Amino acid sequence: MFSKKAREAGQGYLFVLPAALTILVFILIPIFYALFLSFNDVELLGGTHFDFAGWKNYENIFDDTRTKIAFLNTAKYVAIVVPCQTILALFLAAMLNTGLKGQSFFRVLFFLPTLTSSAVLTLIFMWMYNKYGLINYLLSSVGLPTYNWIGNPDIALYSIMIMNIWSTAPFFMVIYLAALQDIPDSLYEAAELDGAGPAKKFMHITVPMLRPITSFVIIMGIIGTFQLFDQSYIFSNGSGGPNNSTLTVVLLIYQYAFKSLGTMGFAAAIAFVLALVIFLATVLQRKFSKEESVF
Amino acid sequence: MSSKNVLYVFLIGYGIVTLLPFLWALASSFKTFAEVSNGSVSLIPHPFTLSNYEKIFVEEELFPRWLLNSLFIASVGTLLNLIFNSMCGYALARLRFPGRAGMFYAVLAVLMIPFQVTMIPLYLILSQLGWLNTYQGMIVPVMVNATFIFMMRQFFVNFPKELEESAEMDGLSKFGTFFRIVLPLAKPALAAQAIFVFMAIWNDFMRPLIILSDNEMFTLPLGLNQFKGQHYSYWNLIMAASMVFTLPVLAIYAFFNKFFIKGISFTGGKF
């Protein structure tokens, strides 16, 4: 007969075994494998061959023009999409939290894009962005200029931005909605007694009280936008075109890993740099928002 | 009064912005190719036709197959996630065993690793196992999810102990207690988890793109993308296929709506 302690330990291992094995084989080992790959030249033809390459793959990141373009595109995308979707989500949530009739209907309605797959949304938007599509029709019917949304290299990335702000904001809206429930009504009542209007209450109570959630929303937004892939892949048929305008870092990693030969190690190195960039961006954001909350 | 009306104008306005793409896609899926290709923007198909749906199900032999592949992979994957994440979360919350802290930190660390880092080795490992282009290659690597292990742990930490203790007094084993007493009481957390995991697997584009190479093995997002390539100007067909793809998720959402919002507030509120 085992002691009670030993039995509990045994049961503990049985309970975590499936998760532990899966994480070990498909996440932890791959991380070290990826590190190894990033320092090698990998050749997949006729079995896999590795040639130690030192820092060469990492050095090449700075010489490769397409990598530079991909990082610039991605940075631009993150810098525009994250603030836009955060502000939109906050406003939508605030509007839905005013106790209006039918707000649960609007909440369900607004949430639709978040449920729909990126592949479907991208196809719907490609169809709307079409030369004769709905968007150009609406623009021209009110006398605004029309665009070649997908084919013009100056516009294509913005087309993806618009689509993604539209589709991601509702998810963060729901997070904000949950957080809004936790703000005590007494704060608003006190402000009202002091004669504050809706705008003042929003700026001086809602926004500051939501700061920790905003920090969370921005971090999730940064992580999500840095990983943009599906939309630019489908938009450009995997090329990142026109003229590299929709080439993102993840699309580039995909291309170097699976579409061109002999560049898998280089792709692994770019993936590590991307992970590092995401990590640094979230750390900076956290630091920044903590300093802010001191005041 | 007037500020209320302004709010309604905004809400309805944004409602239209949300709904219009879906309505336009739905309308296009009932239009003939002639109407779609002459640039009609009407939201009411004229003439109205079901032939697009007929075509994708009857003439596109692979379309039903893609639908089944997606349903199979997402359902089995979700079921395994529910069981394994809960088991692991429960052990981390309740059972004492050497290495528990290490396991917990491993779960937290894994939360921060972007998929792009592990995807190249994942491809090589699956290729070594002979699992490229297979169902197990699609399911096994995602049958566990660190986010939900963490969430379930938080859930079980706050779970009243008395029920489990009395079940054990009655002679139930730990497994018996877990599957017959604890899991049934964790339904709201499981429901939220089920929707998120199902949606993530159902909508996933990048992993199948890497793992699957045979048309027959494709899931819907891949199939849809290829479909677009083959019928690049037949937007009526593409939109019909897109609508079929969207329906199951909407049905699940309608069914679980309550849990869904609760689940998000639960995960959102923790940070």
Side-chain angles (χ1 to χ4, degrees), chain A:
Chain A
M1 180 99 184
F2 293 108
S3 73
K4 193 168 177 263
K5 221 172 142 188
R7 225 179 51 209
E8 186 169 325
Q11 284 159 337
Y13 290 129
L14 279 179
F15 269 79
V16 299
L17 188 69
L21 265 181
T22 312
I23 290 176
L24 182 72
V25 176
F26 294 108
I27 301 180
L28 291 181
I29 292 177
I31 292 171
F32 291 102
Y33 199 174
L35 195 61
F36 168 78
L37 290 173
S38 73
F39 287 102
N40 279 273
D41 275 332
V42 186
E43 202 55 71
L44 284 182
L45 281 176
T48 319
H49 301 282
F50 305 105
D51 277 318
F52 184 71
W55 289 96
K56 196 189 86 197
N57 287 329
Y58 287 93
E59 281 159 17
N60 284 348
I61 290 176
F62 297 95
D63 302 330
D64 187 64
T65 338
R66 293 191 80 224
T67 310
K68 232 176 263 169
I69 294 172
F71 270 99
L72 280 176
N73 283 343
T74 308
K76 191 160 133 195
Y77 181 83
V78 174
I80 293 177
V81 171
V82 173
C84 288
Q85 74 188 11
T86 307
I87 292 168
L88 179 60
L90 179 58
F91 273 107
L92 290 176
M95 284 200 299
L96 284 182
N97 198 47
T98 44
L100 288 174
K101 261 187 204 150
Q103 60 181 10
S104 60
F105 166 77
F106 283 112
R107 191 186 65 197
V108 171
L109 175 64
F110 290 177
F111 202 62
L112 272 184
T114 303
L115 296 168
T116 314
S117 97
S118 54
V120 167
L121 288 181
T122 309
L123 288 178
I124 292 179
F125 270 77
M126 282 181 81
W127 172 221
M128 290 204 306
Y129 280 142
N130 203 289
K131 205 166 157 197
Y132 305 107
L134 188 63
I135 291 184
N136 275 346
Y137 171 82
L138 291 175
L139 286 176
S140 67
S141 65
V142 291
L144 289 168
T146 60
Y147 296 96
N148 184 356
W149 293 95
I150 300 172
N152 182 346
D154 294 332
I155 307 280
L157 189 64
Y158 294 101
S159 306
I160 298 180
M161 287 180 191
I162 293 170
M163 165 171 82
N164 269 24
I165 293 167
W166 174 85
S167 71
T168 319
F171 175 72
F172 295 124
M173 169 196 84
V174 176
I175 291 177
Y176 271 129
L177 264 176
L180 282 171
Q181 316 280 320
D182 295 338
I183 300 180
D185 288 334
S186 55
L187 282 179
Y188 291 107
E189 284 155 15
E192 253 167 65
L193 285 178
D194 291 341
K200 268 217 162 119
K201 281 192 282 183
F202 180 74
M203 288 313 292
H204 293 290
I205 300 176
T206 312
V207 172
M209 288 295 284
L210 288 177
R211 197 165 277 160
I213 297 297
T214 302
S215 177
F216 170 71
V217 167
I218 292 176
I219 288 178
M220 296 305 286
I222 289 173
I223 294 174
T225 45
F226 264 116
Q227 299 186 18
L228 176 68
F229 175 78
D230 305 5
Q231 293 83 342
S232 47
Y233 182 93
I234 297 171
F235 230 64
S236 65
N237 267 324
S239 71
N243 201 9
N244 289 333
S245 61
T246 60
L247 185 69
T248 64
V249 178
V250 181
L251 182 52
L252 188 79
I253 295 171
Y254 170 81
Q255 290 178 349
Y256 279 140
F258 302 108
K259 289 292 139 186
S260 55
L261 291 171
T263 46
M264 202 174 241
F266 181 47
I270 302 176
F272 264 104
V273 171
L274 175 69
L276 188 73
V277 169
I278 295 177
F279 180 72
L280 287 178
T282 55
V283 167
L284 275 178
Q285 201 287 327
R286 280 197 87 121
K287 219 179 155 193
F288 181 67
S289 69
K290 256 187 204 143
E291 275 170 9
E292 213 179 22
S293 63
V294 169
F295 296 104

Side-chain angles (χ1 to χ4, degrees), chain B residues 22 50 70 102 164 176 183:
Chain B
F22 292 104
L50 285 171
S70 271
E164 294 155 69
L183 268 195

Side-chain angles (χ1 to χ4, degrees), chain B residues 18-91:
Chain B
T18 301
L19 212 50
L20 201 58
F22 292 104
L23 288 179
W24 158 255
L26 189 68
S28 304
S29 77
F30 293 116
K31 288 178 179 174
T32 59
F33 177 62
E35 190 182 356
V36 158
S37 53
N38 75 19
S40 141
V41 290
S42 161
L43 284 178
I44 297 153
H46 186 83
F48 178 94
T49 174
L50 285 171
S51 69
N52 300 322
Y53 288 91
E54 231 170 85
K55 239 182 216 149
I56 55 175
F57 275 106
V58 177
E59 283 173 33
E60 288 293 327
E61 286 163 15
L62 284 178
F63 189 79
R65 175 73 193 255
W66 296 335
L67 187 63
L68 287 178
N69 286 344
S70 271
L71 277 174
F72 178 73
I73 291 169
S75 315
V76 176
T78 306
L79 196 69
L80 293 175
N81 263 281
L82 288 180
I83 297 170
F84 294 152
N85 295 342
S86 311
M87 281 170 63
C88 186
Y90 182 74

Side-chain angles (χ1 to χ4, degrees), chain B residues 35-193:
Chain B
E35 190 182 356
V36 158
S37 53
N38 75 19
S40 141
V41 290
S42 161
L43 284 178
I44 297 153
H46 186 83
F48 178 94
T49 174
L50 285 171
S51 69
N52 300 322
Y53 288 91
E54 231 170 85
K55 239 182 216 149
I56 55 175
F57 275 106
V58 177
E59 283 173 33
E60 288 293 327
E61 286 163 15
L62 284 178
F63 189 79
R65 175 73 193 255
W66 296 335
L67 187 63
L68 287 178
N69 286 344
S70 271
L71 277 174
F72 178 73
I73 291 169
S75 315
V76 176
T78 306
L79 196 69
L80 293 175
N81 263 281
L82 288 180
I83 297 170
F84 294 152
N85 295 342
S86 311
M87 281 170 63
C88 186
Y90 182 74
L92 291 178
R94 277 289 206 268
L95 302 174
R96 318 255 142 216
F97 55 94
R100 185 175 77 146
M103 179 77 200
F104 182 62
Y105 287 121
V107 168
L108 285 183
V110 161
L111 280 176
M112 292 188 279
I113 305 298
F115 173 63
Q116 289 78 35
V117 170
T118 54
M119 80 180 182
I120 300 170
L122 175 74
Y123 173 85
L124 295 175
I125 290 171
L126 288 178
S127 134
Q128 286 291 311
L129 291 169
W131 283 10
L132 285 177
N133 213 19
T134 64
Y135 291 119
Q136 66 268 33
M138 281 296 295
I139 294 170
V140 174
V142 290
M143 66 184 182
V144 152
N145 183 317
T147 310
F148 292 103
I149 293 176
F150 181 70
M151 189 183 119
M152 290 315 283
R153 181 198 169 268
Q154 304 301 88
F155 181 82
F156 287 128
V157 162
N158 301 319
F159 200 70
K161 254 193 180 126
E162 293 73 21
L163 275 168
E164 294 155 69
E165 280 163 2
S166 67
E168 269 169 62
M169 298 275 229
D170 291 346
L172 269 181
S173 68
K174 270 273 180 303
F175 277 93
T177 313
F178 178 73
F179 282 106
R180 289 166 60 179
I181 311 286
V182 175
L183 268 195
L185 289 170
K187 262 185 206 146
L190 291 177
Q193 191 184 156

